[in-house]
Every structure is written in structure tokens, then in C-alpha cells.
């Protein structure tokens, strides 16, 4: 749709090449009694949403709960070969909040008894966590009142809790759930390796050097909790389906030039109070009150680097690139115009291994948080006495590339009113 020309062999090959994924739509390879997977495999329709993946990419188990397209506020579930209306009876406030999240909307506003209908499905409480609605078993009923759900909207750059940072990532303060809902943990071979930022339900922005050594399916993105040991229990874990390194990225430059990568996820992220997108900064001017976050090394015990379980946060100061170049010394590192520099003199501290790819966020004049930079490089060994600035890849310079790859628009005009009440427990 953006007039980009694409060779025939790239149409319907299971890989998205057009920004809006038009090359993978309406491929029409499957029969009426079959389900077409995201990678265009054909599997029996009877196996869709049965908690057992038939597609090799698992897409027959995606999007099994959705908002009704016929009646506002109602929820549809895929059951017994078709879309069924969810009944109101036995729905709790916790279940209603989950349904707002899983259907791609914002926090729960209210839920109530809707119209009377025949042939709905009720959600009975159970201990089964793998069902379409976790901890519920769906059973058909002859007649019921439909669930009517009212959900808020999710805005980028609006956390459910206002950050209250005061220290450094190294020896830093533990973040609270809801403060940085755009922060993700990138995993490879069963462990955390980098950070990243949610910019859309299907897209994450991270550093290219975090992913330039492996295939997409060897990585996963984890989010929804500040405790990296709790993602499987109280968060979300999603596989990466495709990776796009910035075309100007090179690992041989110093620092890495245009060190950015976009990750397309195998299924959309469910937004809620702990998982939300960050706005993208369109310019550096007018931004203030900047923070960095990460699960990177927090301190050293002797020569051993220690990584925290809880996400750490710190307030930082952005400095101009002319001063930054002088502090790095000419010839040692060329500070490109695309780089954002963060002060590394007291009381500030560098990010460290494991923080790469994570967000540098600042507030605009309305208090909305925007992603200014992607963590790229700090002092070797994270030495506290090395006052060379930490280097971040500037997001404003990469907006054209991000838009071309994702096909998304990132504008926002709504002034947020973030919650500033009491903090919940960390886990």
C-alpha cells in the first residue's frame, strides 16, 4: 500500500515484507474446514483454540478471545468451531479486567449484565491455566445474559504509576510494577540478555547488537512484571517471529552505528496496567526529566558482576554531542549525530551489561513519556570512575525507518493524567 515493489516469491511466504503485512494477507491456501496459520500452513479447523498448537508457529492458539463486532461491549470466544458470546454469570472483576486486556483494550471501567440471548457460553471457575480464559472452563448454556464490558483506552507514554526515581541503575532503586510498563526483557537460550521497549502490540524496539548473532525464533520477549523471575507466573512471554536490523547498522564501528533493531512478535501483546507502549520522540527539544531502566549488572562483588532480579531505575542527564565527543576523546570514538549522550559524572552512573536495548525515556511539556534513545554502549566494564558518557541511539533520527518497517503512525495529542496514588507490592 506504500507503493513498494515486491518480487513474486515474497508473497505468501510466511514472512512479512510489506510494512502493513499486505503480502501475507488473503493467501487462500486452505480449505473451508481448515485453519490457515500465520505461516500459511493448513491445519484442521477443529483444533483451533484447543490449547494444543497445531501450527508450527502456534498461531492457531492466538486471538481466541476478541471483542464482538456486532454488539459493543460483548466478548466473543472461539469454541466448538465458531465464535460464541460470553455470558455474564460467574464473571468476576478480575476476569473482566483480564478480558479488557486480552481483547486489546485498556483498564476495566465496568462490567454488567447485557442482553438476553440463546446459545452463549459461561466461564466456570477451574484450576486450569491453559484454557482460553485462564482458570475458567467454558461450557455452553441454553440461554443467558451476555457480558457487557466497558474498558478504557491505552495511551502510549502513560504509566499506571508515576516513576519516583532517585538513585542509579548501578546501586539503583528497584522499580514498581506499573512505573515502566513499556520495558521488556529480551531472552536468549533461557536467560535475560537485553532490554527493549514496547511501541505497538506487535512490535518491540531494541539494540541491533542484542540480536545480530541469532535467528528470530531463538529469542523471546518477556514483560508485565518488574521481577524477571515472575514473567511466566504474572506476566507475558511471546516469541519473536521476525527481526529487522537498521540498514545502516554495523557491529564493527565504534560505537555501533545506528544500533537499533525492530522485533515483530509472534502474537500481539495484551495491554494492561503493567504492559503499555511508549511514545516515540520526534525531536530532542522540549524533553526533560529523563530516566533509564534495566536488569543489567547492578554492582560487583569482587570481580563478579551481580545482576538484579528486580528492574532498576535512575534519573539521568542528557548532554550535548560536542561535549560528549570531547569526553570520549577524538579518535577513540566518533560520536555520531544520531547518538544521544548521557552524563556519567556524579551523581550519575553508567548502564551496564544486560541494559543494552533498553529505554531512555523523557517527559514532554504535557508530562507524557517519550522514548528518546535505545541503550547502546557505556564504559567498558561499567567502571564508576570512567566519566565517559553512556551512548544511546537516538529515536528521532530513526522514525522514518521505524515507520517504513512497521507501517505504523506514532502521533499522540492527548494530555495524560497518570495515576499518582499508593504503590502496590513489587510482585
Amino acid at each position: 500500500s506504500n507503493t513498494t515493489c515486491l518480487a513474486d516469491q515474497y508473497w505468501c511466504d510466511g514472512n512479512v515484507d510489506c510494512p502493513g503485512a499486505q503480502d501475507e494477507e488473503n493467501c487462500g491456501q486452505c480449505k473451508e474446514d481448515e485453519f490457515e496459520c500465520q505461516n500459511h500452513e493448513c491445519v484442521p479447523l477443529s483444533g483451533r483454540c484447543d490449547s494444543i498448537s497445531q501450527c508450527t508457529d502456534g498461531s492457531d492458539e492466538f486471538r481466541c478471545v476478541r471483542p464482538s463486532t456486532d454488539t459493543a461491549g460483548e466478548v466473543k470466544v472461539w469454541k466448538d468451531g465458531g465464535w460464541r458470546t460470553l455470558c455474564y454469570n460467574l464473571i468476576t472483576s478480575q476476569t473482566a479486567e483480564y478480558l479488557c486486556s486480552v481483547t486489546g483494550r485498556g483498564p476495566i471501567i465496568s462490567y454488567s449484565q447485557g442482553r438476553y440471548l440463546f446459545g452463549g457460553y459461561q466461564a466456570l471457575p477451574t484450576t486450569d491455566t491453559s484454557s482460553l480464559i485462564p482458570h475458567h472452563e467454558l461450557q455452553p448454556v441454553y440461554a443467558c445474559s451476555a457480558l457487557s464490558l466497558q474498558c478504557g483506552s491505552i495511551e502510549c507514554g502513560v504509566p499506571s504509576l508515576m516513576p519516583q526515581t532517585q538513585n542509579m541503575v548501578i546501586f539503583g532503586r528497584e522499580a514498581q510494577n506499573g512505573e515502566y510498563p513499556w520495558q521488556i526483557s529480551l531472552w536468549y537460550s533461557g536467560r535475560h540478555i537485553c532490554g527493549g521497549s514496547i511501541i505497538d502490540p506487535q512490535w518491540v524496539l531494541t539494540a541491533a547488537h542484542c540480536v545480530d548473532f541469532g535467528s528470530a525464533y531463538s529469542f523471546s520477549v518477556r514483560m508485565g512484571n518488574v521481577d524477571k523471575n515472575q514473567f511466566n507466573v504474572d506476566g507475558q512471554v511471546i516469541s519473536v517471529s521476525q527481526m529487522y536490523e537498521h540498514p545502516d547498522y554495523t557491529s564493527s564501528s565504534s560505537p555501533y552505528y545506528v544500533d537499533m533493531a525492530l522485533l515483530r512478535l509472534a502474537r500481539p501483546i495484551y495491554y494492561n496496567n503493567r504492559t503499555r507502549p511508549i511514545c516515540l520522540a520526534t525531536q530532542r527539544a522540549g524533553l526533560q526529566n529523563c530516566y533509564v531502566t534495566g536488569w543489567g549488572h547492578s554492582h560487583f562483588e569482587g570481580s563478579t558482576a551481580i545482576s538484579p532480579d528486580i528492574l532498576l531505575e535512575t534519573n539521568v542527564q542528557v548532554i550535548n554531542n560536542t561535549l560528549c565527543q570531547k569526553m570520549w576523546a577524538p579518535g577513540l570514538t566518533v560520536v555520531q549525530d544520531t547518538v544521544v549522550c548521557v552524563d556519567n559524572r556524579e551523581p550519575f552512573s553508567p548502564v551496564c551489561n544486560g541494559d543494552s536495548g533498553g529505554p531512555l525515556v523523557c517527559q514532554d511539556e504535557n508530562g507524557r513519556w517519550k522514548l528518546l534513545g535505545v541503550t547502546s554502549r557505556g564504559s567498558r566494564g561499567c567502571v564508576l570512575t570512567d566519566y565517559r558518557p553512556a551512548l544511546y541511539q537516538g529515536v528521532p533520527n530513526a522514525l522514518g525507518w521505524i515507520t517504513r518497517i512497521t507501517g505504523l503512525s506514532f502521533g499522540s495529542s492527548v494530555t495524560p493524567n497518570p495515576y499518582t496514588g499508593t504503590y502496590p507490592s513489587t510482585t
Side-chain angles (χ1 to χ4, degrees):
S1 64
N2 66 346
T3 70
T4 300
C5 297
L6 195 67
D8 289 343
Q9 67 263 30
Y10 296 116
W11 286 87
C12 297
D13 64 350
N15 295 311
V16 174
D17 298 290
C18 293
Q22 294 91 343
D23 57 310
E24 298 302 317
E25 295 177 350
N26 304 314
C27 293
Q29 299 179 2
C30 301
K31 301 174 183 177
E32 287 187 4
D33 61 347
E34 292 180 322
F35 173 78
E36 185 174 353
C37 306
Q38 186 170 295
N39 61 7
H40 306 307
E41 295 175 338
C42 297
V43 300
L45 185 61
S46 58
R48 186 182 181 190
C49 299
D50 63 353
S51 302
I52 302 173
S53 294
Q54 312 292 327
C55 302
T56 56
D57 62 8
S59 57
D60 58 312
E61 299 303 313
F62 300 162
R63 294 179 290 276
C64 296
V65 182
R66 66 167 176 80
S68 172
T69 56
D70 303 319
T71 306
E74 291 186 0
V75 176
K76 296 285 189 178
V77 294
W78 183 272
K79 192 69 175 175
D80 298 332
W83 290 107
R84 316 297 181 184
T85 301
L86 191 62
C87 298
Y88 168 78
N89 55 306
L90 302 179
I91 295 294
T92 65
S93 58
Q94 184 177 7
T95 304
E97 182 176 1
Y98 171 80
L99 291 170
C100 277
S101 171
V102 79
T103 52
R105 293 175 285 179
I108 179 71
I109 295 176
S110 66
Y111 68 102
S112 59
Q113 185 172 321
R115 66 185 177 95
Y116 192 75
L117 60 90
F118 294 96
Y121 272 68
Q122 64 179 358
L124 300 177
T126 181
T127 57
D128 185 6
T129 60
S130 64
S131 53
L132 295 188
I133 302 174
H135 302 292
H136 292 81
E137 178 184 354
L138 294 175
Q139 288 190 350
V141 294
Y142 176 73
C144 72
S145 295
L147 169 67
S148 182
L149 197 62
Q150 287 188 311
C151 311
S153 59
I154 289 290
E155 300 174 15
C156 70
V158 184
S160 56
L161 291 177
M162 283 296 293
Q164 297 183 1
T165 64
Q166 54 187 338
N167 296 317
M168 300 169 284
V169 172
I170 292 186
F171 305 115
R173 177 188 181 277
E174 292 184 349
Q176 301 288 325
N177 280 318
E179 283 187 299
Y180 303 96
W182 43 80
Q183 172 85 49
I184 65 94
S185 172
L186 182 65
W187 284 50
Y188 177 81
S189 295
R191 64 182 181 89
H192 167 88
I193 61 166
C194 281
S197 301
I198 300 168
I199 62 172
D200 177 79
Q202 200 92 46
W203 293 95
V204 162
L205 182 63
T206 187
H209 79 263
C210 291
V211 297
D212 65 1
F213 56 89
S215 61
Y217 289 102
S218 60
F219 295 93
S220 66
V221 167
R222 307 184 180 212
M223 71 223 78
N225 205 301
V226 295
D227 188 337
K228 67 183 180 183
N229 297 320
Q230 296 295 315
F231 292 125
N232 286 307
V233 178
D234 194 14
Q236 299 179 54
V237 179
I238 304 177
S239 299
V240 175
S241 63
Q242 291 177 290
M243 303 188 302
Y244 300 84
E245 295 176 6
H246 194 285
D248 294 328
Y249 166 68
T250 170
S251 60
S252 61
S253 63
S254 180
Y256 307 122
Y257 188 49
V258 197
D259 185 14
M260 287 185 179
L262 283 162
L263 309 181
R264 185 183 178 93
L265 305 184
R267 67 165 176 82
I269 297 168
Y270 301 145
Y271 285 165
N272 52 42
N273 284 339
R274 296 185 179 186
T275 309
R276 298 184 177 186
I278 183 67
C279 304
L280 301 187
T282 58
Q283 59 182 10
R284 299 191 191 191
L287 298 179
Q288 57 188 347
N289 202 27
C290 300
Y291 300 89
V292 294
T293 49
W295 284 279
H297 299 333
S298 59
H299 64 283
F300 292 84
E301 295 182 359
S303 60
T304 302
I306 305 300
S307 297
D309 291 331
I310 307 299
L311 182 72
L312 298 183
E313 57 183 358
T314 181
N315 181 227
V316 296
Q317 179 177 330
V318 175
I319 62 175
N320 68 65
N321 286 30
T322 301
L323 175 60
C324 182
Q325 180 66 82
K326 290 180 179 179
M327 296 178 71
W328 270 95
L332 179 62
T333 288
V334 177
V335 177
Q336 306 285 347
D337 291 340
T338 58
V339 168
V340 177
C341 296
V342 167
D343 201 351
N344 181 25
R345 293 170 294 185
E346 296 293 344
F348 306 108
S349 177
V351 290
C352 199
N353 303 82
D355 290 319
S356 292
L360 164 63
V361 297
C362 309
Q363 286 181 297
D364 66 10
E365 64 276 10
N366 293 320
R368 183 183 295 273
W369 295 96
K370 296 191 174 182
L371 183 65
L372 176 60
V374 174
T375 307
S376 180
R377 180 181 176 185
S379 301
R380 183 174 297 275
C382 314
V383 180
L384 289 170
T385 56
D386 182 350
Y387 293 146
R388 289 178 294 182
L391 306 179
Y392 296 75
Q393 297 298 319
V395 169
N397 305 83
L399 285 179
W401 167 70
I402 295 172
T403 299
R404 284 195 301 274
I405 295 297
T406 63
L408 300 170
S409 173
F410 298 96
S412 179
S413 59
V414 181
T415 302
N417 293 295
Y419 171 69
T420 57
T422 57
Y423 282 63
S425 60
T426 296
T427 57

